[in-house]
Amino acid sequence: MSPTPILRPTRRRHVALAAAALSLVSLGLTGCYNGQEATTNVQATQPSGNGNVLKAGQIVVDNATAVQDEAGNATVLMRITNQGDKADTLIAAVLANVPATITPNSIDIGPGQSISFAWESTNYVSVDGLNAPMSSYVQFGLQFLNAGITSTNIMIVPPVGMYAGITQN
């Protein structure tokens, strides 16, 4: 009769258990995901500074920021791009629930065309006497003939630094 072999855990089994234990511990320590209300999830839905982006259909509005002078007059700095294959027209704008003036009256945007507003441009969206607090956010909305309406909150900044010289025309 031969002796009964003693069953010992193998080295491979020890390594596998250690790896599993380290994985579980590391997940608990990293805290990368803390549920639906995690700071990283909430921040993604809030304005992050100046230069917000809007989208309506195939129209994309980049870097929307309101530059307000000492008299409280605001001009929106932005670029509108038509990514579609049909022309569209900017027909209305609102800043802080106040109808804005579009210069010229309406602006046609051809397919594939990108138009600058307020920066080395003859196109303006402006509001006289807005008087919003600097560094605050105000509601900004645009209406296009075909793409419809889009809105977001944009930051109010003073006409200094890179915004110097941006005024209503």
Side-chain angles (χ1 to χ4, degrees), residues 92-136:
V94 174
L95 186 61
N97 298 320
V98 177
T101 302
I102 299 173
T103 305
N105 292 331
S106 64
I107 297 171
D108 294 325
I109 308 154
Q113 188 177 17
S114 185
I115 298 177
S116 178
F117 284 74
W119 209 331
E120 299 177 357
S121 175
T122 58
N123 303 309
Y124 293 90
V125 171
S126 55
V127 172
D128 290 331
L130 182 65
N131 293 313
M134 290 297 168
S135 298
S136 67

Side-chain angles (χ1 to χ4, degrees), residues 6-166:
I6 299 173
L7 297 175
R8 296 185 186 164
T10 64
R11 180 174 165 86
R12 183 177 282 169
R13 185 172 177 196
H14 283 297
V15 170
L17 287 173
L22 284 174
S23 295
L24 289 174
V25 168
S26 67
L27 287 176
L29 294 175
T30 59
C32 287
Y33 187 76
N34 292 315
Q36 294 298 321
E37 297 303 319
T39 304
T40 52
N41 287 345
V42 174
Q43 287 174 342
T45 62
Q46 299 173 338
S48 61
N50 59 333
N52 282 353
V53 177
L54 298 90
K55 186 166 170 82
Q58 294 299 309
I59 300 291
V60 176
V61 181
D62 290 311
N63 298 321
T65 304
V67 181
Q68 181 176 270
D69 63 20
E70 293 86 21
N73 302 318
T75 301
V76 178
L77 173 68
M78 64 181 163
R79 175 171 292 281
I80 298 178
T81 303
N82 183 347
Q83 296 179 335
D85 55 1
K86 295 181 182 175
D88 209 336
T89 305
L90 175 63
I91 57 173
V94 174
L95 186 61
N97 298 320
V98 177
T101 302
I102 299 173
T103 305
N105 292 331
S106 64
I107 297 171
D108 294 325
I109 308 154
Q113 188 177 17
S114 185
I115 298 177
S116 178
F117 284 74
W119 209 331
E120 299 177 357
S121 175
T122 58
N123 303 309
Y124 293 90
V125 171
S126 55
V127 172
D128 290 331
L130 182 65
N131 293 313
M134 290 297 168
S135 298
S136 67
Y137 287 90
V138 295
Q139 185 71 23
F140 176 58
L142 296 173
Q143 182 176 2
F144 297 91
L145 185 64
N146 300 319
I149 298 171
T150 184
S151 66
T152 190
N153 292 322
I154 63 173
M155 185 180 265
I156 301 291
V157 299
V160 297
M162 65 187 257
Y163 302 112
I166 295 175

